[in-house]
């Protein structure tokens, strides 16, 4: 199915308006905003590895406000139970029936703050909902709704009392990125009160429109040469000498899906190698498991993916289009 250029232009215009709106509340972080929107429109989720106070909560709230959706925040702690996330059934003595009390996961945008502080059992409860988009309790399945985006965070500094996310669970996140501190100019603007309060933002689209945009992104054309390029990149991560376990098929599918969304966010109806390059580090790096010797030498997964981008030749722009 070929997408008409008019629809691609409309998608790019709407995407830009959404990003502009969010940027009113989260100053100086346009690249990260674009990544998170791309993940949301690719039916994926985002892991932010960041220090406290960088605007993660503001980002989630601004996104929810921009799409006229609901948002919740879960503070992960060691005593958090799976039912605290998904919800529980409670027996009502007056009516004599069990009633379901939904958990905070029933929202359009869920901020899972410091996910690595909860036990593996609780982490798994959230990650299961992320993968399935629904909750099953007492044999009854309830969809969490659409759109559905989880923005999980973990603190890279304080590791005492944390439970490291297993690699199989990291693989469930479409992207891993970082907000980081704003630059000097953005910091001055924030201190001057330029950032708009999230509850003051106007809604740009409805949740139904966002679902329609995600459906449109799935139909973006990816040339066989571009798909071959993605496959060669994934193969290269598996054969890199610093890597013990390379990118899975899920990772290759995630990069393809995200590249389609990025292409149409640029107003194109087809994927180019530049779309793949722009997203490779964010989509692939957290899926790699490095050899302990490489980690000891200070090699990062991001550096490995960066080297793969240099080593694997892309098809020409003419061939990829």
């Amino acid at each position: 199915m070929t997408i008409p250029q008019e629809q691609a232009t409309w998608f790019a215009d709407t995407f830009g308006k959404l990003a502009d709106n969010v940027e009113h509340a989260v100053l100086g972080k346009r690249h990260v905003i674009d990544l998170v929107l791309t993940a949301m429109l690719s039916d994926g989720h985002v892991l932010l590895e960041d220090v406290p106070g960088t605007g993660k909560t503001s980002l989630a709230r601004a996104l929810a406000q921009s799409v006229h959706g609901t948002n919740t925040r879960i503070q992960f702690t060691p005593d958090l139970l799976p039912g605290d996330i998904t919800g529980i059934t409670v027996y009502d003595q007056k009516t004599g029936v069990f009633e379901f009390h939904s958990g905070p996961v029933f929202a359009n945008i869920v901020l899972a703050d410091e996910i690595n502080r909860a036990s593996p059992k609780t982490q798994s409860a959230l990650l299961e909902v992320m993968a399935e988009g629904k909750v099953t309790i007492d044999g009854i399945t309830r969809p969490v709704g659409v759109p559905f985006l989880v923005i999980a965070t973990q603190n890279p500094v304080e590791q005492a009392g944390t439970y490291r996310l297993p690699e199989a669970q990291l693989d469930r996140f479409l992207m891993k990125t970082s907000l980081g501190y704003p630059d000097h100019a953005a910091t001055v603007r924030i201190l001057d009160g330029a950032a708009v309060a999230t509850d003051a933002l106007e809604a740009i689209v409805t949740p139904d429109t966002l679902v329609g945009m995600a459906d449109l992104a799935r139909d973006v054309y990816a040339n066989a040469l571009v798909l071959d390029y993605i496959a060669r990149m994934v193969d290269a991560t598996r054969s890199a000498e610093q890597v013990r376990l390379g990118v899975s098929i899920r990772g290759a599918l995630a990069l393809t899906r995200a590249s389609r969304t990025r292409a149409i966010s640029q107003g194109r109806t087809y994927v180019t190698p530049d779309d793949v390059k722009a997203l490779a580090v964010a989509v692939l790096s957290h899926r790699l498991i490095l050899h302990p010797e490489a980690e000891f030498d200070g090699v990062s997964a991001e550096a490995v993916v960066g080297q793969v981008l240099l080593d694997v030749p892309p098809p020409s722009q003419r061939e990829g289009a």
Side-chain angles (χ1 to χ4, degrees):
M1 178 181 176
T2 303
I3 298 174
Q5 183 58 50
E6 298 78 25
Q7 286 187 306
T9 302
W10 168 81
F11 187 109
D13 182 59
T14 306
F15 187 97
K17 288 178 179 177
L18 278 169
D20 289 342
N21 204 51
V22 174
E23 198 175 16
H24 290 320
V26 186
L27 301 179
K29 295 298 174 184
R30 183 55 176 259
H31 176 63
V32 179
I33 292 169
D34 286 347
L35 284 178
V36 174
L37 278 173
T38 298
M40 189 177 197
L41 291 166
S42 304
D43 298 322
H45 307 282
V46 179
L47 178 63
L48 295 178
E49 187 170 80
D50 242 326
V51 296
T54 51
K56 300 181 291 290
T57 303
S58 295
L59 173 61
R61 288 176 177 169
L63 274 171
Q65 194 78 5
S66 298
V67 303
H68 206 270
T70 55
N71 77 92
T72 56
R73 180 175 180 267
I74 309 170
Q75 184 64 52
F76 278 67
T77 56
D79 60 348
L80 194 72
L81 299 175
D84 296 330
I85 296 172
T86 59
I88 57 174
T89 53
V90 178
Y91 182 72
D92 189 329
Q93 291 184 335
K94 291 183 179 179
T95 61
V97 298
F98 285 92
E99 292 183 353
F100 176 68
H101 291 236
S102 60
V105 79
F106 285 85
N108 295 123
I109 297 175
V110 179
L111 178 65
D113 218 358
E114 295 192 276
I115 187 175
N116 55 335
R117 294 204 175 276
S119 67
K121 184 176 183 179
T122 304
Q123 292 176 8
S124 297
L126 175 65
L127 290 159
E128 182 180 1
V129 181
M130 286 165 49
E132 303 293 334
K134 54 191 176 185
V135 172
T136 301
I137 297 177
D138 296 335
I140 300 176
T141 300
R142 297 175 174 86
V144 294
V146 289
F148 177 56
L149 170 71
V150 172
I151 302 176
T153 73
Q154 59 181 8
N155 189 337
V157 180
E158 293 183 39
Q159 294 301 319
T162 63
Y163 300 86
R164 181 176 177 178
L165 282 174
E167 282 73 14
Q169 295 185 357
L170 281 172
D171 203 25
R172 299 286 181 181
F173 288 96
L174 184 79
M175 295 182 188
K176 178 185 175 185
T177 186
S178 172
L179 269 172
Y181 293 119
D183 60 24
H184 177 76
T187 300
V188 172
R189 292 176 61 205
I190 292 170
L191 295 177
D192 195 37
V196 176
T198 53
D199 56 3
L201 294 176
E202 295 183 2
I204 302 300
V205 296
T206 63
D208 287 342
T209 301
L210 207 69
V211 172
M213 291 175 70
D215 290 340
L216 202 61
R218 293 190 198 100
D219 292 330
V220 172
Y221 177 67
N223 187 284
L225 291 171
V226 173
L227 298 179
D228 176 73
Y229 178 45
I230 294 173
R232 286 187 288 117
M233 284 180 56
V234 169
D235 288 340
T237 66
R238 298 168 185 167
S239 58
E241 61 178 353
Q242 307 98 327
V243 176
R244 182 157 58 96
L245 186 64
V247 176
S248 67
I249 290 296
R250 182 187 287 124
L253 289 168
L255 183 55
T256 305
R257 203 162 64 241
S259 297
R260 285 190 163 107
T261 302
R262 185 184 187 275
I264 194 170
S265 75
Q266 304 294 309
R268 282 181 279 103
T269 60
Y270 57 88
V271 180
T272 70
D274 285 342
D275 295 318
V276 179
K277 291 178 184 178
L279 296 169
V281 173
V283 176
L284 301 182
S285 60
H286 65 286
R287 305 172 193 272
L288 302 180
I289 303 177
L290 304 183
H291 286 295
E293 297 83 1
E295 290 182 330
F296 183 76
D297 290 338
V299 177
S300 67
E302 290 81 4
V304 173
V305 175
Q307 189 59 48
V308 166
L309 286 171
L310 294 174
D311 293 342
V312 178
S316 70
Q317 291 285 2
R318 183 182 297 274
E319 290 173 315

